[in-house]
Amino acid sequence: MNLINQLREVLTNLLSTFITNESLVALLVSLAMILLWILIAILTIFIVKKIVFRGKKLEEKLGRKETKEQETVKRLIVNIIQFFFFFWIGIMILRELGLDIVPILAGAGVVAFAIGFGAQELIKDIIAGMFLIGEKTFKIGDYVEIANHTGTITDVGVRRIKLQTWKGEVITINNGDIRAIKNFSINPGVAVVEFRADYDFDFKVLESKKFKKLLKDFQEKHEDVISIDEHIKLLDVNDGLKFVIHIKTNIRKYTGIERYFRKALMEFFQQEKIDVVVPVVISEQTKN
């Protein structure tokens, strides 16, 4: 006789001393066992989280910050353990209610049972999630575009990921439905600033010491600027001259740098009394 049956028998004998109705005793014992399973589930998950995340407090005490990769993997581990453990607890609770599905699983086969209840989608999501994490496609805190949705990854689950848009909307996407991912948080960004001038514009202005000083001072003033391409490119000669300047920036900092540089560029040309047009482009990432 296993421990669970022994516990059930002890409860039955204890309640029988106060209650003579056998049906009521059986009901109370079942309820007590269900509460016990729920308590075990809560306690187990609490312990798992404590064990998995215990390194975070130690890192903080040592003055080190946990990386996003570590946080993502830990959350995934907890989610996987939670899923399978709650599945097992669910079976135990159903057994207390008089529905033992273990023989059904054993008789029909786990695969047949999964297919019959549509669990193939679940399995697909779990496997896809493991590959996404294993291949380091993204991590918590990354700014990505998935299935025409753009936002910051806030949670990576055993089945789904969650991303938050710049409006604060939280979008949930099944791992198995992810086909293409655009990750803006891996490589340095490039700020692109364009400006237009008339055909009589003096190209020597872009090679002057004053303009070179503008680029140098701007880079020194903004720590998110990695480098500025001093070779200003002429893109188009239709309807005036169209120039473009490329600025290499830290990850996801290009939109802010674009705004600041447009302002600096306009101030420079105004001081030099040169008539140019600096278009302002507002994108969703700029809003973010």
Side-chain angles (χ1 to χ4, degrees), residues 246-279:
H246 292 136
I247 305 173
K248 191 174 182 180
T249 71
N250 290 328
I251 296 173
R252 290 185 57 197
K253 299 298 182 181
Y254 58 91
T255 51
I257 295 301
E258 287 176 355
R259 290 194 295 267
Y260 295 133
F261 189 74
R262 287 191 192 100
K263 182 176 182 294
L265 195 62
M266 281 300 301
E267 291 175 349
F268 171 81
F269 284 125
Q270 287 173 356
Q271 290 175 359
E272 297 299 314
K273 297 181 179 180
I274 300 174
D275 188 20
V276 300
V277 177
V278 182

Side-chain angles (χ1 to χ4, degrees), residues 10-278:
V10 170
L11 288 173
T12 301
N13 294 334
L14 179 64
L15 291 174
S16 296
T17 59
F18 304 100
I19 303 171
T20 57
N21 190 316
E22 294 183 359
S23 298
L24 181 57
V25 170
L27 176 61
L28 292 176
V29 169
S30 296
L31 290 175
M33 294 302 297
I34 290 173
L35 291 175
L36 175 63
W37 285 119
I38 293 174
L39 179 62
I40 291 174
I42 294 173
L43 184 60
T44 302
I45 296 304
F46 176 78
I47 294 173
V48 168
K49 287 183 177 180
K50 281 291 184 181
I51 294 174
V52 173
F53 292 108
R54 66 180 177 180
K56 187 174 182 178
K57 292 184 177 180
L58 180 60
E59 292 285 333
E60 291 175 352
K61 289 181 180 179
L62 296 175
R64 295 195 297 262
K65 187 177 180 180
E66 187 177 59
T67 65
K68 293 179 180 178
E69 289 90 347
Q70 290 173 327
E71 182 182 358
T72 302
V73 171
K74 286 180 178 180
R75 287 199 187 187
L76 183 62
I77 291 173
V78 170
N79 286 331
I80 292 174
I81 293 174
Q82 281 186 153
F83 172 77
F84 286 106
F85 187 75
F86 280 132
F87 178 75
W88 176 68
I89 291 294
I91 292 177
M92 295 298 103
I93 292 176
L94 288 175
R95 177 180 290 179
E96 296 297 335
L97 295 174
L99 181 60
D100 191 358
I101 65 172
V102 174
I104 299 176
L105 293 175
V110 176
V111 176
F113 175 83
I115 294 176
F117 284 83
Q120 66 272 20
E121 289 294 325
L122 174 63
I123 296 172
K124 181 181 72 171
D125 292 337
I126 294 173
I127 294 175
M130 291 180 177
F131 275 107
L132 289 172
I133 299 300
E135 294 174 358
K136 298 182 178 180
T137 309
F138 53 70
K139 57 185 177 296
I140 293 173
D142 281 1
Y143 191 73
V144 301
E145 180 181 325
I146 302 174
N148 296 323
H149 298 294
T150 305
T152 302
I153 298 291
T154 59
D155 186 44
V156 179
V158 65
R159 286 200 60 192
R160 305 178 180 92
I161 66 165
K162 292 181 180 179
L163 59 86
Q164 181 173 314
T165 68
W166 64 274
K167 292 182 178 180
E169 303 164 332
V170 177
I171 299 172
T172 302
I173 303 173
N174 285 4
N175 294 333
D177 294 333
I178 298 175
R179 295 292 179 269
I181 302 170
K182 186 185 291 185
N183 194 330
F184 300 97
S185 301
I186 296 179
N187 298 318
V190 177
V192 180
V193 177
E194 299 177 354
F195 67 93
R196 289 184 175 275
D198 293 331
Y199 288 115
D200 59 356
F201 177 77
D202 187 0
F203 285 77
K204 292 182 180 179
V205 172
L206 303 179
E207 300 294 333
S208 66
K209 291 183 179 180
K210 288 184 178 180
F211 191 78
K212 300 291 185 183
K213 186 175 185 302
L214 164 70
L215 301 182
K216 182 179 179 182
D217 291 347
F218 185 84
Q219 181 172 350
E220 291 176 352
K221 182 179 178 181
H222 296 86
E223 59 182 13
D224 287 322
V225 174
I226 298 175
S227 63
I228 302 179
D229 188 356
E230 295 185 355
H231 301 288
I232 314 304
K233 299 176 178 61
L234 177 63
L235 289 183
D236 194 4
V237 295
N238 295 318
D239 192 23
L241 304 176
K242 182 179 180 181
F243 298 90
V244 64
I245 301 173
H246 292 136
I247 305 173
K248 191 174 182 180
T249 71
N250 290 328
I251 296 173
R252 290 185 57 197
K253 299 298 182 181
Y254 58 91
T255 51
I257 295 301
E258 287 176 355
R259 290 194 295 267
Y260 295 133
F261 189 74
R262 287 191 192 100
K263 182 176 182 294
L265 195 62
M266 281 300 301
E267 291 175 349
F268 171 81
F269 284 125
Q270 287 173 356
Q271 290 175 359
E272 297 299 314
K273 297 181 179 180
I274 300 174
D275 188 20
V276 300
V277 177
V278 182

